[in-house]
Amino acid sequence: MSGSSMKFGGIRVHEPEMGRPAGYGSRVMSRISMSDALRMVGISKLVLHAWERRYERQLAERTDTGRRYFTPRQVEHLKLLKQCTDAGHRIGSIIDLPPAELAALVRAHEKRASLAPLMDAILQMDAAGMKAQLAAHLAAEGPAQFAKETIAPLMREVGRQWSDGSLSIASEHMVSAEVRTMLAACLDALPPDQMPVRAVVSTMEGEQHEIGSMLITLLARQAGIGALYLGPDLPVEEIIRAACASKAGIICLSSLYGRLRVLEPKLVALRSKLDDTVELWIGGPGFTDIRQMDGVRHFTDVASFEDAARAAAQRAQLTD
Ligand code: B12
């Protein structure tokens, strides 16, 4: 073989000669031998062949003389496939996913694994252990990260185990109560009074899930919006009354269990009774399939909500 060599992950890889056709996805392709690649990924030749045969995929390249080799990118792809199968995903369900989605699956698995001790405490109804672990997460992560990266995935895991019957309703109630208490304390530590824009946050009548709206209240305050948390399950008239009394420029609603045929007419009624200057922001899984409505801003992710909240706070500061 001619061409130069370089180190990649402790393994010597070969740069092809100038003028050779470059492999897929890279202009200058490095070649990693089959044995080095399998060692780096941690799978056997048998497993690789089984994946390729069963799903009719070529996961490696071939030289002109028919020798199989991998590019660094292909090795990274294989590593992700391996990590996902280790995490319990069937290869058939992930083999066609792009690397970014595989990486997201790996991250979600790592998060679940890191929450395992907390889930054990919850399953065993060990209230003291659960509180201590939640407090440690809050201290290490700070309120916003704690809410987004510990509470949200934790509650999803609670929901998953609750619906497959492995976690009791009592355990779910215990963790929900503690999470509410902790989020309320985070809100107390960040009073909305001096913030430039006022908002109210709630859920519509019939929706008892309130942790999503508490989380949103906290993120809004972190972004500089003076958000008032009204509690869940409010009729349209009460939401309007609260928004007027607190001079809110934004009404923010969360839904986890929304039934669209119930939610949509209520949303239409709410919008029609509000002054045009009042913004209506909605988000959460219950609103996923809601049709687009004039004067209703639907957020499909938390990051865009935070951006919008920061922008609204900045606008208000400029006009002050
Ligand atoms: C705790 C809980 C309860 C508690 C709520 C306690 C409380 N005080 O809040 C109680 C016991 C009351 C309850 C009741 C019910 N629940 Co429940 N519950 C849950 C559970 C386990 C956690 C919910 C939670 O707090 N999540 C925390 C939030 C923060 O997580 P999140 O939704 O992922 O939030 C993220 C985004 O959605 C977003 N977001 C949320 N809101 C907003 C708003 C805006 C503006 C934006 C931008 C973003 C945003 O921000 C978060 C950050 O990532 C979920 C499981 C799950 N997968 O969520 C089931 C779940 C929501 N419940 C469910 C069900 C079916 C019910 C009941 C019908 C059960 C029953 N048979 O009685 C009732 C319905 C009650 C009602 N009418 O509302 C289902 C809903 C399925 C569906 N799609 O319809 C779920 C998904 C469980 C499941 N796997 O089946 N529940």
Side-chain angles (χ1 to χ4, degrees):
M1 251 197 204
S2 56
S4 62
S5 290
M6 66 175 204
K7 281 272 205 178
F8 175 75
I11 307 269
R12 194 160 287 285
V13 294
H14 185 77
E15 295 286 348
E17 293 164 61
M18 292 285 288
R20 284 247 174 126
Y24 96 96
S26 79
R27 275 191 296 141
V28 178
M29 183 180 58
S30 303
R31 293 179 173 181
I32 302 168
S33 73
M34 172 76 96
S35 57
D36 281 347
L38 294 179
R39 200 166 42 244
M40 288 161 84
V41 175
I43 56 168
S44 67
K45 208 173 195 172
L46 265 169
V47 168
L48 177 73
H49 287 165
W51 288 357
E52 292 191 318
R53 247 196 335 271
R54 205 173 314 152
Y55 303 103
E56 294 178 358
R57 298 290 183 290
Q58 279 303 318
L59 298 169
E61 305 282 317
R62 266 185 206 285
T63 63
D64 298 344
T65 55
R67 261 179 97 88
R68 300 194 75 197
Y69 68 91
F70 292 82
T71 64
R73 191 179 293 197
Q74 284 168 323
V75 169
E76 289 310 309
H77 185 215
L78 261 191
K79 273 186 191 164
L80 288 169
L81 288 174
K82 163 81 165 54
Q83 285 171 308
C84 286
T85 54
D86 286 349
H89 294 280
R90 283 186 311 106
I91 183 72
S93 62
I94 57 168
I95 193 131
D96 287 324
L97 294 182
E101 283 182 38
L102 293 173
L105 289 178
V106 172
R107 276 199 305 278
H109 174 72
E110 284 169 354
K111 187 70 215 184
R112 268 206 303 278
S114 76
L115 292 174
L118 190 46
M119 283 307 296
D120 279 350
I122 294 166
L123 282 161
Q124 288 161 21
M125 298 285 302
D126 170 11
M130 175 193 70
K131 275 184 186 199
Q133 289 193 54
L134 282 171
H137 274 280
L138 175 57
E141 296 160 7
Q145 197 187 339
F146 172 67
K148 286 188 284 189
E149 291 173 24
T150 293
I151 295 305
L154 174 70
M155 294 312 289
R156 281 194 286 272
E157 185 59 13
V158 164
R160 201 180 62 76
Q161 295 201 19
W162 171 44
S163 57
D164 76 15
S166 46
L167 186 132
S168 68
I169 293 176
S171 283
E172 173 278 308
H173 281 19
M174 178 182 81
V175 61
S176 294
E178 183 57 22
V179 164
R180 283 189 67 255
T181 305
M182 291 186 79
L183 288 177
C186 292
L187 288 175
D188 279 348
L190 206 60
D193 321 327
Q194 303 304 317
M195 298 181 185
V197 192
R198 308 216 52 84
V200 289
V201 186
S202 186
T203 72
M204 292 191 121
E205 194 174 6
E207 172 77 57
Q208 289 162 17
H209 299 98
E210 59 177 322
I211 293 169
S213 41
M214 293 179 87
L215 176 150
I216 283 301
T217 310
L218 180 64
L219 297 181
R221 286 194 198 170
Q222 291 251 342
I225 298 229
L228 187 66
Y229 177 54
L230 303 174
D233 201 5
L234 276 187
V236 164
E237 290 69 26
E238 286 304 317
I239 297 173
I240 295 171
R241 193 192 295 227
C244 289
S246 58
K247 300 190 172 55
I250 302 169
I251 295 177
C252 195
L253 299 171
S254 159
S255 173
L256 270 64
Y257 166 64
R259 293 286 172 265
L260 285 187
R261 61 172 196 288
V262 179
L263 276 180
E264 261 184 24
K266 285 186 180 154
L267 213 50
V268 171
L270 175 59
R271 182 66 270 179
S272 69
K273 291 176 186 164
L274 288 175
D275 192 284
D276 281 353
T277 56
V278 179
E279 296 186 39
L280 189 47
W281 292 6
I282 62 172
F287 287 122
T288 300
D289 295 321
I290 197 118
R291 69 180 165 86
Q292 222 181 323
M293 289 183 203
D294 283 346
V296 179
R297 189 160 175 188
H298 179 202
F299 292 93
T300 52
D301 63 85
V302 173
S304 50
F305 170 83
E306 289 178 290
D307 288 344
R310 274 190 291 270
Q314 254 162 21
R315 273 196 308 275
Q317 248 150 12
L318 288 176
T319 51
D320 252 5

